[in-house]
Amino acid sequence: MHAPATTPISHSPAVRELLALAADGDAFHHVQAQVEHVAGCTRPVQLTGYTATLDATTGEPLSVYTTADEPTGRLLLACGNRRASVCPACSRLYAADTYHLIRAGLTGGKSVPDTVTTHPKVFATLTAPSFGPVHNRPGNLKPCRCGTHHAANDPALGTPLDPVTYDYCGAVLFNAHAGALWHRFTVYLRRHLAQHAGIKRSEFASVLRLSFAKVAEYQKRGAVHFHAVVRLDGPDGPTSPPPAWATPAVLADAITAAAAGVRLVIESDALGSHELAWGDQIDARPITATLGADGTLSDAAVAGYVAKYATKGAEATGTLDHALYCVPCKGSGQRSDGSHCRPCHGSGEGQPLRHLVVERHVRQLIRTCWHLGQLPEFEHLGLWRSAHMLGYRGHFSTKSRRYSTTLGALRDTRRQWCTERAHERLGLIGPDIPTLTTESAWAYLGTGYTPGEELLAATVRRNRANALRLKDEGERSE
């Protein structure tokens, strides 16, 4: 019996490409450096063009980079996607930026004074209400309501015990109005704090400022809930201390009371009346500099917890990580003839919803989004656009203006640091260097790698994953 024929490794397109590059050592190192620079990004952006550093007075070029000098004729740029399911490399950078943003609002730094550490801070979790009993893991000793001890990776977790009676419309409408519920919660929170202080609501801003940063997380059942850092400042924001009566305990009690009182009624001719509210599981725990035995959380733990969810989305529930677009309009809302488009039951490839590779519970949530999105009273929600997000149409993370720095400011700082290092390498730093200006022109070419570059990127990703694993093991052993 003859062994099955195999393709020699040297016949692989990726290997042939790398061997061709290896014949020119400089070409291979250039390509390898580009792949390492984007940290093995899953789908890098390909650009062609040039950038030149000029003397601002004379216009004389002092340094010129052009993709015409690259072996591949283009430059790779990291995609910058925040989702770990799409690009693990870029999501790690996104998580790091989010960590510094949250931490700055807790301990100071990044334009926030260090005195903010003395301000009352609470880590709050606001969950969704019940839309029907689901399979869960209440504990090792107590089984699920179905009588089964579910494993941690059991796909049944989060799915309804009785799909027929599960309130799918309520679940989708809650996700779609989660942002409105949060806004109403912040209004009620200010009212409760003003009532505690014995002042009018109109006087609240002259006594106290409410700052927050929150992130959305999906439960296994597909319902959105929020984790939030809530901080009290003086009237001038983080630069001024709050009044003495504003303590973490007062803030925690106000959060619990405000969340419990939020109600939002949705009227529909087809569905009747739906009352939306937060769930009974409302948690508010004070934040301190270090982890406490009295239920308090440390600022580092909170920042790390929020940053972890900054790279996740609805795909954690088993849904898709890309939008489902209506075929006639491709997601624009209008057909080619200018008429208004009603969403059809398909994805961007024209695939029927029943053929989507998702669990039945998730498919029903997506189908509910499409059905409700076609009702006139819900057209403004854009549910068919957010069907892959199970109806949630808000940002994954938001913050109040005075909480801390912004992601844009952090990126600008990193960009400035990279520019200064590049000028140092070119010898363009010093008292005798003229004022510099930059001229550039770039054009989009495509996305992704060539087969050889993909082989190099896989090596970079594997090396970085091993380095992170060793780092985590070392920190746990300390």
Side-chain angles (χ1 to χ4, degrees), residues 82-307:
R82 75 168 180 89
R83 295 175 184 265
S85 62
V86 176
C87 184
C90 291
S91 70
R92 281 194 289 269
L93 182 60
Y94 213 107
D97 284 347
T98 303
Y99 176 86
H100 289 295
L101 184 150
I102 299 297
R103 188 77 184 273
L106 297 173
T107 62
K110 313 294 183 183
S111 74
V112 179
D114 296 342
T115 54
V116 78
T117 56
T118 62
H119 296 195
K121 300 175 290 292
V122 167
F123 184 61
T125 299
L126 277 63
T127 61
S130 173
F131 305 106
V134 298
H135 295 277
N136 55 18
R137 297 176 68 238
N140 294 329
L141 299 178
K142 184 180 178 182
C144 173
R145 292 179 62 175
C146 68
T148 304
H149 289 273
H150 293 289
N153 58 350
D154 191 337
L157 290 175
T159 61
L161 291 173
D162 184 7
V164 176
T165 60
Y166 192 80
D167 187 7
Y168 281 98
C169 290
V172 168
L173 289 176
F174 177 86
N175 286 349
H177 292 87
L181 287 171
W182 172 263
H183 173 71
R184 188 162 295 192
F185 160 73
T186 59
V187 173
Y188 284 17
L189 179 55
R190 291 182 176 90
R191 289 179 181 174
H192 279 278
L193 290 171
Q195 183 179 6
H196 178 86
I199 60 176
K200 296 180 180 179
R201 173 64 184 87
S202 58
E203 300 173 350
F204 182 83
S206 62
V207 177
L208 202 64
R209 288 280 181 178
L210 181 68
S211 296
F212 66 85
K214 69 175 177 66
V215 64
E217 180 196 359
Y218 281 83
Q219 296 172 309
K220 290 290 292 183
R221 56 181 173 146
V224 167
H225 69 275
F226 291 134
H227 300 292
V229 176
V230 184
R231 188 186 71 214
L232 294 181
D233 301 323
D236 297 327
T239 58
S240 60
W245 59 263
T247 64
V250 168
L251 177 57
D253 291 342
I255 288 174
T256 303
V262 172
R263 294 291 184 275
L264 184 61
V265 179
I266 306 299
E267 299 288 351
S268 168
D269 294 337
L271 303 179
S273 177
H274 267 77
E275 183 179 83
L276 305 179
W278 297 111
D280 295 332
Q281 296 180 344
I282 300 171
D283 187 36
R285 301 172 62 184
I287 302 173
T288 58
T290 58
L291 185 64
D294 55 351
T296 59
L297 295 170
S298 69
D299 47 42
V302 169
Y305 190 80
V306 174

Side-chain angles (χ1 to χ4, degrees), residues 55-73:
D55 185 326
T57 304
T58 65
E60 177 187 359
L62 303 177
S63 174
V64 178
Y65 169 83
T66 173
T67 54
D69 297 334
E70 294 289 346
T72 57

Side-chain angles (χ1 to χ4, degrees), residues 303-375:
Y305 190 80
V306 174
K308 176 179 68 173
Y309 287 105
T311 63
K312 297 182 179 182
E315 67 276 1
T317 67
T319 184
L320 307 176
D321 59 5
H322 58 274
L324 298 172
Y325 284 154
C326 172
V327 174
C329 70
K330 298 299 183 184
S332 66
Q334 287 188 334
R335 299 179 185 270
S336 57
D337 60 1
S339 62
H340 179 69
C341 178
R342 294 278 185 173
C344 65
H345 293 281
S347 68
E349 302 298 329
Q351 181 183 15
L353 292 181
R354 64 179 179 275
H355 293 162
L356 294 178
V357 186
V358 295
E359 295 293 336
R360 183 171 59 180
H361 173 60
V362 172
R363 183 183 294 108
Q364 184 57 44
L365 286 170
I366 293 175
R367 183 178 286 114
T368 303
C369 289
W370 286 85
H371 285 319
L372 294 182
Q374 296 182 75
L375 298 178

